[in-house]
């Protein structure tokens, strides 16, 4: 049994306003709140006691979160660029309300189809799914039987959960993955996935 523990990065200054912050944006670091959240996650994972590897998105907010946890656990951090957030094109830095006002047709198409990109030649969710699935397959091969912490973003983490559930693409917009939340899934030897926890934020209280 291989366990993937999914940790979303802590808050940035863009997070409370729910502004889109993808790989084509400003690459913000953690806010003071986000740094506290990262430490709380580190404490929770230290209490869990079984994480043997830490893999993270290259984006600043994830690396800061991952290094806070790894330092607490006495582990090194491996960076995988395919765990980065989607590129939201012209929508970077906007709220969904602002996107709906400025790009209503493109937003409707994006919600309707994983093959539709954000405005400005952003990345489709289909493209995100392909690279995230490849990361998952690599982790399962490299860390078979090992609990691995994956530090990433809303898009990639929702995608991992969706794939584990064998849920349709539109289910991405029906799950919450809050800042510094933890979700857990296991894969048995034949690759069958089971989601055990989703959006656990008890350690932040």
């Amino acid at each position: 049994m291989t366990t993937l523990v999914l940790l979303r990065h802590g808050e940035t200054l863009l997070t409370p306003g729910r502004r889109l912050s993808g790989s084509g944006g400003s690459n913000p670091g953690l806010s003071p709140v986000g740094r506290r959240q990262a430490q709380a996650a580190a404490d929770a994972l230290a209490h869990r006691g079984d994480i043997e590897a830490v893999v993270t998105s290259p984006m600043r907010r994830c690396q800061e979160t991952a290094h806070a946890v790894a330092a607490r656990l006495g582990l090194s951090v491996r960076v995988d660029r395919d765990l980065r957030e989607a590129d939201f094109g012209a929508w970077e830095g906007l709220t969904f309300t602002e996107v709906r006002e400025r790009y209503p047709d493109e937003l409707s198409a994006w919600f309707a189809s994983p093959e539709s990109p954000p405005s400005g030649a952003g990345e489709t969710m289909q493209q995100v799914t392909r690279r995230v699935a490849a990361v998952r397959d690599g982790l399962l091969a490299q860390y078979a039987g090992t609990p691995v912490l994956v530090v990433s973003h809303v898009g990639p983490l929702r995608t991992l959960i969706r794939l584990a559930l064998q849920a349709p693409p539109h289910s991405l917009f029906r799950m919450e993955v809050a800042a510094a939340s933890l979700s857990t899934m296991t894969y048995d030897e034949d690759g069958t996935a089971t989601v055990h926890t989703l959006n656990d934020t008890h350690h932040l209280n």
Side-chain angles (χ1 to χ4, degrees):
M1 193 79 72
T2 303
T3 302
L4 300 184
V5 179
L6 313 182
L7 172 61
R8 185 184 168 196
H9 61 79
E11 284 189 10
T12 73
L13 293 178
L14 296 176
T15 308
R18 300 184 73 87
R19 294 190 173 275
L20 289 163
S21 181
S23 57
S26 59
N27 196 21
L30 297 178
S31 66
V33 170
R35 289 192 287 273
R36 290 194 295 273
Q37 290 174 331
Q39 289 298 328
D43 291 341
L45 290 163
H47 180 74
R48 178 186 168 100
D50 64 347
I51 300 298
E52 295 186 24
V54 178
V55 184
T56 184
S57 156
M59 301 190 76
R60 184 178 165 199
R61 54 195 180 273
C62 283
Q63 290 214 51
E64 290 177 358
T65 302
H67 280 283
V69 174
R72 182 77 166 79
L73 301 181
L75 298 172
S76 60
V77 174
R78 172 187 150 196
V79 176
D80 191 321
R81 70 180 303 273
D82 285 336
L83 286 172
R84 68 191 184 279
E85 183 57 287
D87 180 350
F88 294 116
W91 302 352
E92 293 280 356
L94 303 179
T95 65
F96 276 114
T97 298
E98 291 168 339
V99 174
R100 188 171 289 109
E101 290 171 351
R102 302 180 196 185
Y103 308 98
D105 294 341
E106 293 95 328
L107 182 62
S108 294
W110 187 72
F111 279 133
S113 172
E115 298 179 19
S116 293
S119 307
E123 189 177 21
T124 69
M125 291 313 296
Q126 186 179 60
Q127 291 171 314
V128 173
T129 299
R130 280 198 295 267
R131 61 175 165 84
V132 170
V135 172
R136 176 205 60 196
D137 293 346
L139 293 176
L140 295 179
Q142 182 173 357
Y143 298 106
T146 300
V148 180
L149 180 68
V150 179
V151 185
S152 190
H153 311 262
V154 168
L157 296 182
R158 283 179 175 174
T159 297
L160 285 168
I161 295 163
R162 179 183 78 77
L163 293 173
L165 294 171
Q166 297 184 339
H170 65 262
S171 65
L172 283 177
F173 308 111
R174 299 292 185 268
M175 64 180 83
E176 177 68 12
V177 179
S181 66
L182 290 163
S183 302
T184 306
M185 61 185 67
T186 56
Y187 288 82
D188 64 20
E189 290 182 356
D190 68 3
T192 300
T194 302
V195 176
H196 295 265
T197 59
L198 173 64
N199 193 44
D200 182 3
T201 58
H202 286 92
H203 53 285
L204 303 179
N205 297 329

